[in-house]
Structure formats: structure tokens, C-alpha cells
Amino acid sequence: MACGCLLAGSAHAQWVVTDPTNLAQSIINTTKEIVQTSKTVKNTLDNFKEVEKLYNESKKYYDALKKVNNLVRDAQKVKETILMVGEISDIYVKNYKKMLSDPNFRPEELVAIANGYTKLLGESNNLLKELKQVVNITTLKMTDKERMDVVDRCYKEIRDYRNLVRYYTNKNISVSYLRAKKQQDTDRVLSLYGTDNERYW
């Protein structure tokens, strides 16, 4: 089975070397602590530092995976699916860190935003776990077509979640922008987040 290349073909891409489902779950668990224990912006920021630490550790895995070349088509789609979960983590960590220093968000809003990211990342990670089970040819008796049907579905659904995380992020940034606009302080928001997201406002 072509997908087996991700298990045996390259040391950089083996599930057993670094399990991306565990990486994502660690970020989810730590973010849940933010939701449960954060009462102030400072408290939220302190808790978020652990999320950022986990993200930096997982980023090494995703950066290595990006360098894996010459995979057959089936395995390439599995690789791209894994990388999209990494991209979801990337969108969350980078933008939420900026939101923590944004005066236009109240502490309770920051907790609610973190909760939203937790749910989106959690759904993506559930699909990644399903993908892991299907790719591992020793666990299921499936035809190549049945296996690739699942791979295709996971790929499409995680792509949808990735796009939803982008939309969710930009919607939250737009709230800050609109509040800053009322106070005639949009330059600070633009400098904080950059202008890449401006087209969504």
C-alpha cells in the first residue's frame, strides 16, 4: 500500500518517531487549562506560554515533514493532511498570542476565543487519529480503494477545518479592528496583526 511510505519510507515521516496526534492533543489539553483557569489577561498569557512551548516543539516535526520529497501520490495526500493540522496549530498560536496583547479584547473574550480554537483543533485531531488508523496497514483489513476513500475524506474535512480556523481568526481580528475604528486607533491593530487579513474586514 502506497500510504505505507509514511510509516516506513522516511524517518522524518514515521508516526512512531513523533506522533502528530499527540502533538495536537498536547496543545488542546493545555489550551483547555487556559479556558478553565484563566481569570485575567496576565493569567491567560502565563498559561499560553506553555501552549507556545508545545507548539515550538511540534513545529520541528512539521518542518521536517515538509522536507520529505518523492512520495507517491497516496502518501503525498497523507503528508499534506498531517501538515494542515500543523497549519491549524500555527494559525492558532501565532494569532492568539497577538490577541493576548490586544487591548480591544476583554479577558472573558480571550477565554472564549481559546475555547473556540480548542474545539476546532480537537475536531481536526480526531480526523488525524482516524487517518493514522487507516494508514497503519496492520490494524485494518481494507482494500486499497477503501483506504484511499478514507484518506480522501480526511484530507477534505481537515482542509475545511483549516479554512474554518482561518475564517474564525479573521472574524475575531475584525472585532478588534471595528472597536479600534470607533476609537480611531486602527493603526495599532494593523501594526499588531499586519495587513494580510485586511481584505476580510
Side-chain angles (χ1 to χ4, degrees):
M1 172 60 192
C3 291
C5 292
L6 279 177
L7 294 171
S10 170
H12 291 301
Q14 291 175 0
W15 292 100
V16 293
V17 174
T18 303
D19 190 333
T21 58
N22 290 339
L23 295 175
Q25 191 61 51
S26 294
I27 292 175
I28 292 167
N29 292 342
T30 308
T31 303
K32 283 181 178 178
E33 291 183 20
I34 291 178
V35 175
Q36 294 168 357
T37 64
S38 298
K39 303 299 182 186
T40 65
V41 172
K42 182 183 183 305
N43 189 220
T44 304
L45 180 59
D46 289 342
N47 288 334
F48 181 73
K49 288 178 181 177
E50 185 62 27
V51 174
E52 192 172 22
K53 178 183 174 184
L54 290 167
Y55 164 74
N56 288 332
E57 291 173 2
S58 67
K59 193 172 184 300
K60 297 174 185 176
Y61 169 83
Y62 292 114
D63 286 346
L65 184 58
K66 288 176 185 176
K67 296 176 183 177
V68 177
N69 296 314
N70 301 320
L71 295 175
V72 294
R73 184 186 66 83
D74 295 350
Q76 183 68 28
K77 182 160 281 190
V78 174
K79 169 190 169 182
E80 290 172 2
T81 304
I82 297 170
L83 287 174
M84 279 193 287
V85 176
E87 188 178 349
I88 289 170
S89 300
D90 185 69
I91 294 169
Y92 158 48
V93 172
K94 288 184 177 179
N95 287 284
Y96 190 70
K97 183 177 182 179
K98 294 173 182 177
M99 292 175 191
L100 287 170
S101 60
D102 187 337
N104 294 305
F105 290 115
R106 297 186 293 273
E108 59 272 20
E109 291 175 325
L110 290 169
V111 171
I113 291 170
N115 190 43
Y117 278 120
T118 301
K119 290 178 180 177
L120 291 168
L121 186 55
E123 292 296 328
S124 302
N125 198 40
N126 288 337
L127 287 166
L128 194 58
K129 289 176 182 176
E130 182 180 355
L131 181 68
K132 174 186 175 182
Q133 186 180 30
V134 169
V135 171
N136 187 348
I137 58 177
T138 64
T139 59
L140 291 175
K141 292 182 179 179
M142 302 175 70
T143 65
D144 283 357
K145 182 184 183 308
E146 289 171 336
R147 199 180 305 277
M148 281 313 302
D149 284 346
V150 176
V151 170
D152 286 341
R153 179 176 58 78
C154 289
Y155 173 83
K156 291 173 183 175
E157 290 188 24
I158 287 182
R159 183 183 60 193
D160 289 342
Y161 275 115
R162 189 269 315 272
N163 293 339
L164 185 57
V165 169
R166 285 177 175 170
Y167 174 78
Y168 178 73
T169 298
N170 284 293
K171 285 294 286 184
N172 284 315
I173 293 173
S174 70
V175 169
S176 172
Y177 181 78
L178 291 173
R179 289 175 178 174
K181 198 171 182 179
K182 287 183 179 179
Q183 301 173 25
Q184 299 181 338
D185 192 23
T186 56
D187 288 344
R188 178 158 53 170
V189 175
L190 290 173
S191 65
L192 182 62
Y193 297 104
T195 57
D196 292 343
N197 298 306
E198 191 171 3
R199 57 197 173 92
Y200 292 98
W201 303 337

